[in-house]
Amino acid sequence: MHSKDVEACLDISKEVFGADFHHPIHFDLNNKHHFYLIAEKNNHVIGFTILFKISKNDMKKIVENHFELTFPFYYLIDVIAITKKEQKKGAGTFLLKKIFSITGTDLPIYSVAWKDKYGINIEKLYKKHKINPRINLGKVWAHGCNHKFKCPSFNKRCQCEGILFKLSLC
């Protein structure tokens, strides 16, 4: 990803997750532990993913002692976002394959996906690639829902739950 792609990614984030979910600061392109990947169609960005390599201590904050962590580092898929028009056309699979080419199989891969009244939007893509639900983290976004960002699922209060997924090969 190049700096010129960040604006397109912010537009996709707004369409998929709501206004202000991501800001330019989320795209620290110089951080060697963050990976930013894009999917393009006809030279236009149609999707992006953010992958973090995080420490065991940072991962503990996410899993909250639900299970033991044994590796010094973990990969965390922060987001996979595809424009609504291009969803279910292979862009998500393309981005996941790019992630797998970066990560290999040396460290576990996790992701926190949101579940709203319609279910888990990314669940089918994840299960197709052996990334399975592990635990329900509860309303992890409630503190910022419709305050820090404009949630498309907000209805008088936070409606979403965070579901922790894990690649089952690790």
Side-chain angles (χ1 to χ4, degrees):
M1 177 186 291
H2 302 286
S3 58
K4 66 177 177 53
D5 300 320
V6 171
E7 198 61 43
C9 293
L10 290 170
D11 289 343
I12 293 167
S13 176
K14 181 178 181 180
E15 176 192 1
V16 176
F17 302 116
D20 299 323
F21 191 80
H22 286 104
H23 297 275
I25 196 166
H26 288 104
F27 295 88
D28 181 4
L29 302 181
N30 296 318
N31 188 320
K32 66 180 183 169
H33 295 293
H34 296 182
F35 303 89
Y36 303 92
L37 308 168
I38 58 170
E40 292 181 295
K41 183 177 179 181
N42 300 324
N43 293 321
H44 290 89
V45 176
I46 61 165
F48 72 95
T49 187
I50 302 174
L51 174 71
F52 300 131
K53 184 176 181 182
I54 64 173
S55 71
K56 181 178 184 175
N57 287 337
D58 287 339
M59 191 65 191
K60 279 183 181 179
K61 294 174 189 172
I62 296 168
V63 301
E64 298 175 343
N65 297 320
H66 288 288
F67 52 88
E68 185 178 352
L69 298 171
T70 57
F71 291 86
F73 290 96
Y74 294 82
Y75 286 109
L76 179 69
I77 301 170
D78 179 58
V79 64
I80 295 178
I82 311 296
T83 61
K84 289 182 180 179
K85 180 180 167 188
E86 295 297 332
Q87 289 179 3
K88 302 189 185 340
K89 295 181 182 179
T93 293
F94 171 79
L95 288 171
L96 272 178
K97 287 181 179 180
K98 286 177 94 170
I99 287 171
F100 297 154
S101 72
I102 289 170
T103 62
T105 57
D106 61 330
L107 296 174
I109 301 171
Y110 287 91
S111 180
V112 178
W114 75 14
K115 175 183 175 185
D116 64 12
K117 63 183 177 182
Y118 302 110
I120 306 167
N121 191 35
I122 201 161
E123 185 173 29
K124 185 177 176 182
L125 174 68
Y126 276 178
K127 285 186 174 181
K128 177 180 168 184
H129 294 281
K130 297 185 177 11
I131 301 174
N132 295 305
R134 182 79 191 259
I135 56 174
N136 185 323
L137 299 172
K139 296 189 179 293
V140 295
W141 293 285
H143 67 282
C145 186
N146 236 40
H147 302 287
K148 291 183 179 179
F149 63 96
K150 298 293 181 197
C151 180
S153 298
F154 185 81
N155 185 9
K156 296 184 183 174
R157 60 184 170 84
C158 181
Q159 305 295 314
C160 301
E161 298 174 14
I163 309 297
L164 183 72
F165 282 78
K166 181 183 185 241
L167 179 64
S168 61
L169 302 176
C170 301

